Amino acid sequence: MRESAAQRHDRLLTLVREGGTARISDLAARLGVSPVTVRRDVEALTRKGLVDRAHGAVSWPRARTGEAGSGGTGPVLGLLAPSATYYFSEVIHGAHEAAARAGARLVLRISDYRPEQDRARAEGLLAAGAEGLLIAPGWRGLADPAEHGGWLAELPVPVVLLERAADPGGPLAGLDRVSSDHAHGVLLALRHLVGQGHPAPLLVARMDSPTALAVRAGYDGALRALGLERPQPVIDAPAHRDPEGFERGVQELWTAVTSGRASAALVHNDVDAIRLVQRLAELGIRVPGELALIAYDDEVAALADTPLTAVAPPKREVGRLAAELLLERLGRGPAGTANAPRRHVTLLPRLHVRASCGALAAATTATEATTAPEAPEAPGIKQGTTHDHA
């Protein structure tokens, strides 16, 4: 299976982090791609602040004047993430910004969504001097927290979970955590589509990450809150890891739309949504013409041919607040916060309305109706808005 850019970026970051610095030509050879591809990847990672580039080489970022660790007296925070690209790049940025403001140093390790390696990676961060840990375990399935998560409660330093939940009463329930309320994000999306006059929207979602599972759980809750019945089972269309499964999902969605059973869908995530729109267009289904669509994540949704309306979890804020909470536990916050009660902080996503759900066209129709009274309003369609929903 062809490697994605995100996977290649993670491998590149691992190579640079392990060596501290690397030449572009050496990275190209080890990654099995052209130097041009590596330069393009390095430029993208440099813009995100994940690497430094100079004179044909790339290096792991060093603390700059006024940034984390520049004085050498601040605490060291360890951050374990399943990836340093896509969703988690913003989480890492937020944590780095908070650490920098406090004069702390942030040390990063990547698990590559291999939960069986999380413990060893965390121990490596402790060996590197981390006095507290921000951890987003590389869990992928429902059984992973029980099988690969118990050790988190035994760590000898303060721990804050990132974008992960814990079973009530389980060993991790008493840990600090900061996460996005994905159930609220799903409700925003479905409420918007129903407000546009659509029947119960379909859900197209994967099953290979905690976010995907939270979106699936949030879907059923959102339907109940809106008084709707589930129109059909959730469609699994994983474009990256299962091309045949993706095509089956496309055909299932095509059948639902052409039969009149559905006219709207929420798709997790952006990349799958963009590929889905492209494939549906080849089959004669236009977005938003025949199908109103909202993506979940809002990483690249705005860059699609038809800009995708998207739910945007507050990723950077999650990282920032988690780092601030960890610093408090280390005695670097307001007096008394180190021993304050444990906290579960949940942040609400926003809905960024663009063209793919038909709201912009509806708003245009509403404007034309006010300037041309004779033009009738389209029957059965409620007018939408074009501002962000929080």
Side-chain angles (χ1 to χ4, degrees), residues 283-324:
L283 298 174
I285 300 294
R286 297 171 301 148
V287 171
E290 285 77 36
L291 177 69
L293 185 143
I294 294 179
Y296 200 99
D297 273 0
D298 204 25
E299 287 289 326
V300 293
L303 304 180
D305 288 347
T306 299
L308 303 181
T309 293
V311 177
K315 301 175 280 287
R316 187 174 292 242
E317 289 79 4
V318 165
R320 177 178 61 79
L321 287 175
E324 291 174 352

Side-chain angles (χ1 to χ4, degrees), residues 158-183:
V159 175
V160 179
L161 288 179
L162 287 167
E163 289 291 27
R164 299 292 186 259
D167 292 332
L172 307 186
L175 294 178
D176 288 310
R177 67 174 183 253
V178 182
S179 59
S180 301
D181 187 342
H182 296 302

Side-chain angles (χ1 to χ4, degrees), residues 115 119 137 139 143-155 170-172 175:
R119 185 169 191 166
W139 302 333
D144 283 343
E147 185 174 353
H148 301 291
W151 59 273
L152 286 162
E154 303 169 1
L155 287 167
L172 307 186
L175 294 178

Side-chain angles (χ1 to χ4, degrees), residues 263-289:
S263 61
L266 172 64
V267 182
H268 176 270
N269 53 33
D270 289 4
V271 174
D272 284 356
I274 290 173
R275 292 178 177 174
L276 193 68
V277 170
Q278 293 170 346
R279 183 68 183 110
L280 287 173
E282 296 171 354
L283 298 174
I285 300 294
R286 297 171 301 148
V287 171

Side-chain angles (χ1 to χ4, degrees), residues 193-337:
L193 291 170
V194 171
Q196 291 293 107
H198 297 282
L202 302 183
L203 176 64
V204 181
R206 302 154 68 168
M207 299 181 64
D208 58 356
S209 74
T211 300
L213 295 174
V215 167
R216 282 175 168 255
Y219 176 64
D220 288 330
L223 289 176
R224 287 193 297 271
L226 296 171
L228 301 172
E229 296 290 334
R230 185 194 280 202
Q232 67 177 65
V234 176
I235 298 173
D236 187 11
H240 165 63
R241 62 178 172 81
D242 184 3
E244 293 182 358
F246 173 71
E247 185 60 27
R248 287 194 297 271
V250 169
Q251 295 297 331
E252 190 174 347
L253 183 55
W254 180 88
T255 299
V257 174
T258 56
S259 67
R261 295 201 311 271
S263 61
L266 172 64
V267 182
H268 176 270
N269 53 33
D270 289 4
V271 174
D272 284 356
I274 290 173
R275 292 178 177 174
L276 193 68
V277 170
Q278 293 170 346
R279 183 68 183 110
L280 287 173
E282 296 171 354
L283 298 174
I285 300 294
R286 297 171 301 148
V287 171
E290 285 77 36
L291 177 69
L293 185 143
I294 294 179
Y296 200 99
D297 273 0
D298 204 25
E299 287 289 326
V300 293
L303 304 180
D305 288 347
T306 299
L308 303 181
T309 293
V311 177
K315 301 175 280 287
R316 187 174 292 242
E317 289 79 4
V318 165
R320 177 178 61 79
L321 287 175
E324 291 174 352
L325 177 52
L326 184 57
L327 287 164
E328 290 180 5
R329 296 297 181 212
L330 294 172
R332 298 295 294 242
T337 56

Side-chain angles (χ1 to χ4, degrees), residues 58-80:
V58 57
S59 61
W60 199 246
R62 296 179 180 273
R64 300 171 175 82
T65 301
E67 288 192 357
S70 59
T73 60
V76 178
L77 309 183
L79 196 164
L80 177 62

